[in-house]
Structure formats: structure tokens, C-alpha cells
Amino acid sequence: MFEAIDLARFQFAFVVSFHIIFPAFTIGLASYLAVLEGLWLWKKEDRYLNIFNYWLKIFAIAFGMGVVSGIVMSYQFGTNWSVFSDKTGPVLGPLMGYEVLSAFFLEAGFLGIMLFGMNKVGKQLHFFATLMVAFGTFFSAFWILSVNSWMHTPAGFSINEVGQFVPEDWIQIIFNPSFPYRLVHMLMAAYLTTAFVVGAVGAWHLLKNNKNLCARTMLSMAMWMAAIVAPLQLVAGDMHGLNTLEYQPAKIAAMEGHYETKKGAPLILFGIPDDDAMEINSIVEIPKLGSMILKHDFDAEIKGLRDFPADEIPPAEIIFWSFRIMVGIGMAMIALGLWSLFLRFKNLFYSTRLFHQICLLMGPAGFIAVIAGWVTTEVGRQPFTVYGVLRTVDSVSPIDAPAVATSLLVFIVIYFLVFGAGTYYIFKQFSINPEQDKDATKKVGSLGVSLKLFDKA
Amino acid sequence: MSIELIWAIILSFAIFAYVVLDGFDLGIGINYPFIGSKWERDIAMNTVAPVWDGNETWLILGGGGLFAAFPLAYSVVLPALYVPLTAMLIGLILRGVAFEFRWKDKSKTQIWDKAFIIGSIGATFFQGVALGAFIQGIPMEGRAFNGDWWHWLSPFSIFTGIALVFGYGLLGSTWLIYKTENKTKRHMQMLGKRFFILTLIMILIVSLWTPYLHPEYFEKWFSYPRILYVLPVPLLVAISTVCCFRALIKNNDLQPFVWSIILFLLSFIGLMISIYPNIVPPSLDIWQAAAPKKSLQFLLVGVLIFMPIILVYTSFTYWVFRGKTKPDESYH
Ligand code: HDD
Ligand code: HEM
Ligand code: HEM
């Protein structure tokens, strides 16, 4: 039988993985919408407004799902991780409080105007509302990643007589050692995720008709993002890894599949890690490159999992793979970005069908990479919730297993039904041709008429 | 005044703001079964579509604020109310996505309307259940909840659940009286009266029942001289009842809504009186549960800076969408 703690862990992993799908998309999309509206106001070209309205509807659906799945998250801490909440509340609570005050209210307050207010407040104020929503998503990411990073690299606290973490230095807490890396990496991840979705939709409509101006604009904008940000993501990821090596070396060892301590450790490309035997089999490796990447020295020593206390190591069997999925996708993104530059240079960008087909295929890549990345980070933190200080087994609520089992089941059913339906509606929007409604701008102009654009299809 | 008390007041404010704001949102879902035609349902939904997300954010502030300022209370109450809170969250999910989904597929509007109704009523009912279970008291041992997972279930908590459904129903129908016109408005006035009478009966019963739950509650309300301090509450309830009823009959736009809010406020104050100085009845008080001073101070700065700004732009949004909601006002 499962114990309450396993169920609680599974439930947390399930609901948060569902949640992150939406922020990963809405953070990027909010900024994209702001850019589109800005371009429209600046260049006064209809196509930007067309594209803006196209993605605004998708944004509304995704954002709604992000909100409701997020509310579940903020109550999960208390319901399922009550001991954790009691202990970390004094440190993490205020950070999340700032998130609510500076981010959630901002998003929610201006969302209504962004979605419904174009005819009521005028273009300039509407643009302002769009910007505020975009800022809101950024602040939200800022605070929640600070919270999460603190759990990986806790700093600036002491522990009081009842076992609570007590804040000593807020600057150290907020800007804890892994936070800057995680913030940059996650924001770029969100931008990439969105770019690949936008690119895929553009590519799909180009495959149907490669004269489609809106689709061309979408693909082009998306591929500029990919070409620029994907390589930067590699750099940021690498720096993030070095930071992790400093603070959570066991995680890195597990990600790399290093069980044995070695001087001049290889870079293991593939292999089959076995946590019970503490060894990795059938490996494909590049000698000494591991030491080079991690320590910038071909002969440096890399500590293997066997040399960490047995009760302080994460399961390599999971994160070895999740890490490779993420990095593999990252490499694929870089490759696609380079290809897009080459095609632009050759003037074949809008006519190479194979390129469009691959862009379509890469549409969901960002989501997979984001989840794989989070799995790497979070499973790699085990067996702790606050790294090195508070163990996961000591964090859980005193709730009977049947209660958690029931809630888990209900969450699974409801999430698949509800978010499945949402995804279906998003796809339905995707299938609409972004160029179809020629007089979109006229409608917006005339007062009292709503932004009825594409639903008629 | 101690900073712990300030925080208790801030949280009470957040919770009350939530109750009123999401109360009328959820109340629309409670009124939905009685609104027959599709176009009227469209209007009802559109009266809150631009603001519901902001309204719900107060719930996050309530939860997040409790986590930050009274982590011990947060970690005792939430596991104790595991089942009703989880059910409430599920309800909020159904209700929240319905706002978007019901427009997306004309043939499925019916289904998402049902989701909206079930979600709204479910979320409200379980919120009320959670409230009732909370008032009844939560047993603790050490720093944790000590009871089993159906501890929340009692006649009283079921009763408060039903009471809240009627109460939010009242807020919803009076809000719609304010935001609609003609036939729809008359229809809502009829519903408003019914919900008003039901709510009143519920307030009465809960007020009489609560003092018998714990001797301390009884002491607060019926011992001399304390009774003199608390007497204004029932008196004011009586006055606002009369005013609310008159406004409902007199075809007023805004007044029924305002008086309903005042009724809620008075009930809320009554509840606070019963519980104070505890934050988790029957025995955990505000000071025992509070986070260290440094945490309270740090977030208080944030509240002082951000809360006025939030109130300004939230009011601005309401102002932009002021007046009667017209049938064609949506982006869909
Ligand atoms: C990197 C970004 C990120 C991460 C790691 C998380 N979130 Fe999130 N969250 C957002 C970024 C975000 C967002 C972009 O701000 C959302 C997504 C869609 C939305 O509506 O706002 C959001 C929505 C959202 C909401 C609803 C807010 C509203 O009503 O506007 C809550 C309560 C939470 N989240 C809470 C959490 C918790 C407790 C998390 C940790 C376990 C968490 N989020 C992880
Ligand atoms: C949003 C992206 C995130 C994803 C996809 C994610 C995923 C996961 C996963 C898969 C686990 C399970 C690890 C295991 O038990 O083996 C976990 C654990 C945990 N995460 Fe995250 N996480 C995310 C963000 C966060 C954030 C932002 C926080 C804090 C605010 C957080 C707090 C926790 C806690 C407390 C646990 C421990 C409980 C457990 O072991 O299940 N997570 N997370
Ligand atoms: C291109 C090569 C990449 C490298 C070298 C890389 C590196 C890393 C590393 C080392 C971590 C673990 C951080 C930790 O130890 O806690 C991580 C986490 C993560 N990665 Fe990547 N990454 C890459 C690409 C990507 C891409 C393309 C995405 C998504 C589009 C992505 C999304 C994430 C996310 C969401 C996390 C978890 C949050 C965090 O800890 O920042 N990564 N990445």
C-alpha cells in the first residue's frame, strides 16, 4: 500500500506539473501580446492587431486555467505539507504574500480591461493594461522562483526553539544563491515555450497557404526569438549547473550519472543508471569532457554518488533522463534557430515546407522541456524539501492516506476533463486562419461593437 | 496595538473582501438555475467576467496572508479542513473555467453552464462547511491538528454550508438587480426577495446555535455586562434587515446590494466577536500562532505600499465597467 506521504508527493507533483504548463505559456504570451500591441500602435499595421486579437483569445483560456490551477497550489502547502508550512511560513509566507500583492492583483486587476476594455478605455490605456498584465506575470515568476530557490539554497535564516525558520536577512533570503540563475533560466524557458507554440501555429497555416501574411509574421517573430534565446538558454543552463554543483553536488552527480568519484570524469551521453547497484551500464561517453564542463579542467575530480551519505542522495534513475530530455530539446531548439537564420539568408524562409513541418513538430517542445527541467530540479532536491535542513518525510501533514488518495483521484479526473477541454478549445482557435477576418480593425474602431473577431468561423 | 493584532485585522479585511466580492460572483452561479433564457445567462455572466479573477485573488491573499502571518494556524486549519477545502477548490476550478469555455462551443454551452452552477454552489457550500467546522473548533496536539479526516462533518457545518449558499445567492441576485434592467431585473428582484428571507432565517438560526457550541461563545454573548457591548450587533442586524427589505420592494437599483453587504458585515463582526482572541478555536490565540516579528514587519511594509494601489486600480476596473451590462458587451 502507498503511504500518505507518497500519495501527497504524487499529488503535489501532479498538480504543480499541471500548473506550470500554463505559466510557462502565459508569461511568454503576455509579453508577446504587449509587443504586438505596441507594434500596432507604432506602425499602425492591421496585421499586428489581427495577430494580437488571435492570441488574446488563446491567452484568456490559458490564463484562466493558470489561475484556477494556481489557487489549488497555494492551498496545497497547508493541506498536504502542514509541518513544512508551520516551519517555513515565517520565511516563505511573506515572499508569497509579496507575490499576491505585487503580481496576482496586478494581473487580475488589468486582465478585465485587457480582455473586455478596448472600446471603453481607448487604445493607450488598453496598451497600458496589457503591459501591466505582462509585468504581473514577471513579478509572479520573480517571487515564486525566489521561494522555490530558497528551498534549494536556503540562506539568511536561523532556527528558533520550536523549529521554525526565522528570517534574519531578507536580501539574502530573496536573492539566495540559486535564485538569479533560476529566474533567468525559467523566464527564457517561458519565452521559448511561447515562441515555439506561436511558430508552430504560424507554420501550420503557412503549410496550408504560404502567402498568409499573419502566419508569416508569426513564424518570423517566433524564429527570431528562438534563434536568439535558445543559445542564451544553453549558456544560462550551464551557469545554473555550475551553481548547482557548488550547492547541491549530489544532484549534479545524479544528473550526470556519476556514481563513482573520478578524476577526469567523462561526459556520459547515454547510459542506464541503476540506483540499487549504484552503477551505470551501457554507457556512451566522451572521456574527460564532464570534468571540463563542470570544473573547466580536464583532470578535475568529480565526486560520485557513492561518496555521499546514502540518505542524502536523489534518485539518479529519474533525473539522469529528465535532464537529457531537457538538454536534448534545448539543442534541437538551437539547431532550428540556426536553420531559420540560414533560410532567411537564402530567402527560403517562407517556402521551405520541411522547415515548416519541423516547426510544427516542435510546437509542444517547450512544455516538455519545462516539465523535464522542473523534474530534474525538484527530484534532484530529494530527500529534502529545504535542502540540507528539512526532510521531505518530516514535512508532510498528519492526514490519513484514504483522504489523500481520494483527493488525488479527484484531482486527476477533474484536471484531465477540465484542462483537456481547455486544450481542445485552444486547438480549435489554432485551427482558425489568423488572416481570415479582414475587417477586424474596422470593428474595433467603431464604438459599442465588441471585438467579435474569429468566433463566427 | 500589537503587530499581531494588526495582522489579524488585515486578514479579517481580506477575508471579508473575499466574501463580498467572490460572494456575488458565486452568487450568480447560484442564481443561474433560475435564469432560464440563454441571453439572460450571457448577461449575468458578463456582469462579472471582467472582475471575477480579481475577486478571487482576495482568497489567495487570505490563504497567503495566513501562511505568512500565522503559519501555525495555517498548518493546523488546512489539514483539519482537508476535505471541504479540496472540494471547494474543485468547485472553483469548474466555475472559473466555465467563464471562458461556455463561449467556445455553442453546442456545449449547456454543459459549461452546468459546470458553472455545480462549481459555484459546490464551492460556496464547502466554504460554508469549512466555516462551520472552524467555528466548532479544531482539536490540536502539539503544533498539529489532531483528529481524523472527517472531523469537519457535523450537523452544524452542513447547516452553515447551506446558509452560505443562500447568503451568496442573495449577494448574487442583488448584484444582478444593480447590473441589469427591464425583465431581467424584475426577475432578479423576485429571486432576491426569496434569497433574502432564506438568508435571514439562516442568520437567526446560526446566531442562536453558535453560543451553544462552546461555553466561551455563550459567555461572550449572554453574560452581563458583556451583553451590553455586543448588543449593538443584533440591533443593527434588525435595522439593516428592515432597510434591505424595503429597498428590495421599492425597486431600488443599488440599495438592496449595499444592504446585503451590510448584513454580511454584521454577521462577520458577530463571528469575530465569538472567536476573538483566538485564531483557531477553541484554544489557539493570535499571539501563539503569529510568525516572528521580522516576518510580520516585512510583509506589513508590503501591505502598506501595495494595498492602496490595489484598491485604486481595482476601483478603476469597476468604474470602467460601471452601469448596466448590455447584451453585446463581451470580447467573445
Ligand atoms: C515561473 C512561474 C511560476 C511558477 C513556478 C508558479 N507559478 Fe503560479 N502562476 C504564475 C507563475 C508561476 C503566473 C504566470 O503568474 C500565473 C499563471 C497564469 C496566471 O494566471 O498567473 C500563476 C497563477 C497562480 C495563481 C493564481 C493567481 C491569480 O489569481 O492571478 C496562484 C495562487 C499561484 N499561481 C500559486 C503558485 C504556487 C503556490 C506555486 C508553487 C508551487 C506556483 N504558483 C508556481
Ligand atoms: C512549477 C514548477 C514546478 C514543478 C513542475 C515541480 C515539480 C515537483 C516534483 C515533480 C516534485 C516531486 C519530487 C519528489 O517527491 O520526488 C516536487 C516537490 C516539491 N516541490 Fe516542486 N515543482 C515546481 C515548483 C515548485 C515551487 C515553485 C515550489 C515552492 C514554492 C515547490 C515546492 C515543492 C515542495 C514543497 C516539494 C516537496 C514535496 C514533494 O516531495 O513532493 N515546487 N515538485
Ligand atoms: C540548452 C541546454 C540547457 C541546459 C544546459 C540546461 C540546464 C539546466 C540545469 C542544470 C537545470 C537544473 C537546475 C538545478 O540544478 O536545480 C535546469 C533546470 C530547468 N530547465 Fe534547463 N537547461 C537547458 C535547456 C532548457 C530548455 C530549452 C528549457 C525549456 C524551454 C529548460 C527549462 C528548465 C526548467 C523549467 C528548469 C527548472 C527550473 C530551474 O531550476 O531553473 N531548460 N536546466
Side-chain angles (χ1 to χ4, degrees):
Chain A
M1 268 310 279
F2 284 113
E3 310 244 348
I5 179 160
D6 300 319
L7 293 165
R9 288 172 76 175
F10 191 76
Q11 177 167 317
F12 193 93
F14 179 77
V15 290
V16 80
S17 300
F18 248 90
H19 176 59
I20 194 63
I21 290 175
F22 303 107
F25 187 38
T26 51
I27 294 171
L29 204 48
S31 301
Y32 183 54
L33 287 169
V35 169
L36 286 168
E37 195 173 9
L39 281 172
W40 174 57
L41 290 177
W42 179 35
K43 297 200 169 164
K44 313 227 166 14
E45 287 178 38
D46 286 359
R47 63 178 162 143
Y48 291 118
L49 179 65
N50 248 338
I51 306 176
F52 174 84
N53 284 316
Y54 188 81
W55 288 100
L56 184 65
K57 293 168 170 244
I58 290 158
F59 180 75
I61 309 176
F63 199 89
M65 294 194 281
V67 169
V68 292
S69 60
I71 292 176
V72 172
M73 293 311 307
S74 61
Y75 280 80
Q76 285 277 303
F77 288 110
T79 49
N80 293 74
W81 304 99
S82 65
V83 181
F84 169 87
S85 305
D86 177 25
K87 296 195 163 152
T88 62
V91 171
L92 299 184
L95 303 191
M96 292 169 96
Y98 269 94
E99 182 183 15
V100 181
L101 294 166
S102 69
F104 291 158
F105 274 109
L106 198 65
E107 291 169 353
F110 286 98
L111 181 72
I113 296 179
M114 183 182 179
L115 294 182
F116 302 92
M118 183 70 106
N119 296 317
K120 301 210 171 216
V121 298
K123 293 176 192 171
Q124 312 291 335
L125 249 176
H126 187 269
F127 182 47
F128 179 75
T130 310
L131 281 178
M132 286 304 115
V133 173
F135 279 127
T137 61
F138 170 76
F139 292 142
S140 166
F142 178 94
W143 289 109
I144 197 72
L145 290 173
S146 175
V147 168
N148 180 264
S149 300
W150 186 86
M151 291 160 60
H152 287 270
T153 49
F157 66 93
S158 63
I159 292 185
N160 71 8
E161 67 283 2
V162 290
Q164 285 178 313
F165 294 87
V166 176
E168 293 299 337
D169 182 339
W170 286 106
I171 297 295
Q172 279 185 30
I173 290 172
I174 297 170
F175 297 95
N176 59 76
S178 64
F179 170 57
Y181 301 94
R182 192 163 278 114
L183 178 65
V184 170
H185 196 60
M186 177 64 213
L187 284 178
M188 292 208 283
Y191 283 151
L192 284 172
T193 302
T194 308
F196 277 88
V197 175
V198 172
V201 173
W204 195 52
H205 287 289
L206 283 184
L207 283 170
K208 289 197 288 195
N209 166 16
N210 84 349
K211 297 280 176 300
N212 188 325
L213 187 63
C214 288
R216 285 184 166 208
T217 310
M218 290 191 314
L219 183 66
S220 173
M221 289 175 87
M223 283 302 124
W224 279 121
M225 180 64 88
I228 297 167
V229 176
L232 290 177
Q233 182 74 324
L234 175 67
V235 177
D238 179 49
M239 291 167 68
H240 196 347
L242 295 182
N243 176 270
T244 306
L245 179 66
E246 192 176 337
Y247 292 95
Q248 300 173 318
K251 186 197 273 186
I252 291 289
M255 275 154 58
E256 299 289 345
H258 292 153
Y259 286 97
E260 274 167 64
T261 304
K262 269 190 195 149
K263 282 203 167 62
L267 178 71
I268 301 179
L269 295 179
F270 282 104
I272 301 185
D274 180 343
D275 281 340
D276 295 327
M278 293 288 262
E279 60 187 28
I280 182 161
N281 305 311
S282 339
I283 38 182
V284 182
E285 60 176 27
I286 304 176
K288 298 202 179 210
L289 194 60
S291 289
M292 183 60 204
I293 290 176
L294 291 170
K295 297 250 164 108
H296 299 282
D297 170 1
F298 281 115
D299 294 311
E301 184 180 272
I302 303 286
K303 197 168 161 187
L305 286 174
R306 287 187 185 173
D307 290 317
F308 289 93
D311 63 347
E312 285 180 15
I313 54 173
E317 280 166 9
I318 297 175
I319 65 179
F320 179 82
W321 291 115
S322 59
F323 183 63
R324 270 155 193 70
I325 292 172
M326 170 183 66
V327 175
I329 290 176
M331 296 302 180
M333 288 176 166
I334 296 176
L336 201 64
L338 289 175
W339 191 13
S340 78
L341 292 179
F342 175 76
L343 290 175
R344 273 185 220 268
F345 181 69
K346 290 260 169 188
N347 244 330
L348 294 170
F349 187 74
Y350 298 115
S351 52
T352 311
R353 285 181 69 85
L354 181 65
F355 174 66
H356 300 163
Q357 281 157 353
I358 294 197
C359 283
L360 182 60
L361 210 68
M362 285 287 281
F367 296 106
I368 302 171
V370 163
I371 299 219
W374 276 109
V375 166
T376 310
T377 294
E378 299 288 318
V379 177
R381 186 188 52 198
Q382 300 304 316
F384 297 98
T385 46
V386 179
Y387 196 70
V389 192
L390 181 62
R391 283 178 179 272
T392 309
V393 281
D394 301 326
S395 305
V396 70
S397 296
I399 300 188
D400 305 339
V404 190
T406 315
S407 65
L408 175 59
L409 214 66
V410 173
F411 274 121
I412 291 177
V413 172
I414 294 281
Y415 273 38
F416 273 107
L417 282 179
V418 166
F419 298 131
T423 314
Y424 168 75
Y425 292 135
I426 288 183
F427 271 96
K428 234 179 97 178
Q429 292 284 340
F430 285 162
S431 72
I432 297 169
N433 181 348
E435 246 201 350
Q436 181 196 327
D437 202 320
K438 282 290 180 198
D439 55 0
T441 42
K442 263 184 258 151
K443 277 192 182 168
V444 173
S446 62
L447 258 155
V449 184
S450 58
L451 291 159
K452 287 200 183 81
L453 287 183
F454 307 108
D455 262 358
K456 296 284 174 274
Chain B
M1 196 187 305
S2 72
I3 191 165
E4 289 84 357
L5 200 56
I6 294 178
W7 264 105
I9 293 169
I10 293 174
L11 273 187
S12 312
F13 174 74
I15 292 170
F16 182 68
Y18 170 75
V19 166
V20 168
L21 294 172
D22 212 25
F24 72 73
D25 287 8
L26 290 165
I28 288 171
I30 296 167
N31 279 281
Y32 237 54
F34 311 106
I35 304 176
S37 66
K38 173 163 181 313
W39 69 272
E40 279 184 305
R41 286 188 166 193
D42 289 358
I43 293 183
M45 189 83 108
N46 279 337
T47 62
V48 290
V51 292
W52 75 271
D53 184 11
N55 294 347
E56 204 168 273
T57 308
W58 291 94
L59 179 66
I60 310 171
L61 184 62
L66 194 65
F67 179 41
F70 303 99
L72 180 56
Y74 180 81
S75 62
V76 171
V77 173
L78 269 67
L81 303 178
Y82 190 84
V83 176
L85 287 180
T86 305
M88 174 193 85
L89 291 170
I90 301 277
L92 290 177
I93 291 177
L94 290 178
R95 171 307 278 256
V97 296
F99 277 105
E100 282 301 323
F101 291 0
R102 83 183 284 274
W103 310 92
K104 296 295 165 208
D105 187 347
K106 298 279 178 293
S107 63
K108 301 277 187 315
T109 307
Q110 288 283 329
I111 295 185
W112 294 114
D113 278 359
K114 286 210 179 72
F116 187 62
I117 293 168
I118 295 172
S120 301
I121 296 182
T124 308
F125 175 72
F126 282 106
Q127 237 169 58
V129 169
L131 177 71
F134 174 77
I135 298 173
Q136 278 201 318
I138 290 169
M140 282 176 68
E141 192 187 289
R143 295 175 73 81
F145 164 60
N146 175 26
D148 40 42
W149 60 287
W150 57 89
H151 186 267
W152 52 276
L153 187 64
S154 73
F156 182 73
S157 66
I158 297 291
F159 192 83
T160 49
I162 298 170
L164 202 65
V165 174
F166 292 147
Y168 283 1
L170 175 66
L171 286 175
S173 51
T174 52
W175 164 260
L176 286 175
I177 291 174
Y178 170 51
K179 292 297 280 186
T180 60
E181 41 195 3
N182 303 332
K183 204 177 118 217
T184 319
K185 183 179 166 190
R186 286 194 292 277
H187 188 184
M188 297 322 301
Q189 282 169 324
M190 184 200 74
L191 286 176
K193 278 174 216 154
R194 296 189 183 163
F195 277 120
F196 174 73
I197 292 170
L198 289 169
T199 306
L200 207 64
I201 298 173
M202 289 305 193
I203 292 183
L204 271 177
I205 299 179
V206 173
S207 307
L208 293 176
W209 195 336
T210 308
Y212 291 94
L213 292 174
H214 281 288
E216 298 100 90
Y217 293 168
F218 194 88
E219 280 276 296
K220 283 224 179 91
W221 289 96
F222 295 116
S223 68
Y224 187 84
R226 280 190 178 181
I227 192 165
L228 293 183
Y229 299 120
V230 297
L231 206 58
V233 177
L235 286 181
L236 287 171
V237 170
I239 296 172
S240 12
T241 305
V242 175
C243 293
C244 190
F245 197 65
R246 270 186 42 185
L248 271 170
I249 291 175
K250 281 183 133 179
N251 200 16
N252 231 305
D253 259 0
L254 182 56
Q255 281 201 22
F257 184 54
V258 174
W259 285 112
S260 312
I261 293 177
I262 293 177
L263 268 180
F264 261 84
L265 179 65
L266 292 168
S267 312
F268 190 74
I269 292 176
L271 176 67
M272 294 287 121
I273 291 177
S274 299
I275 290 173
Y276 182 86
N278 286 332
I279 190 160
V280 183
S283 57
L284 183 68
D285 76 25
I286 294 172
W287 289 267
Q288 291 164 327
K293 288 254 186 322
K294 275 197 176 134
S295 310
L296 299 176
Q297 286 158 352
F298 179 65
L299 191 55
L300 187 59
V301 174
V303 171
L304 293 177
I305 296 173
F306 283 106
M307 195 48 77
I309 305 177
I310 290 170
L311 293 176
V312 167
Y313 63 65
T314 303
S315 322
F316 175 71
T317 304
Y318 275 89
W319 185 76
V320 166
F321 296 99
R322 70 197 176 278
K324 304 284 185 188
T325 304
K326 300 281 190 291
D328 58 1
E329 277 181 24
S330 81
Y331 76 103
H332 297 103

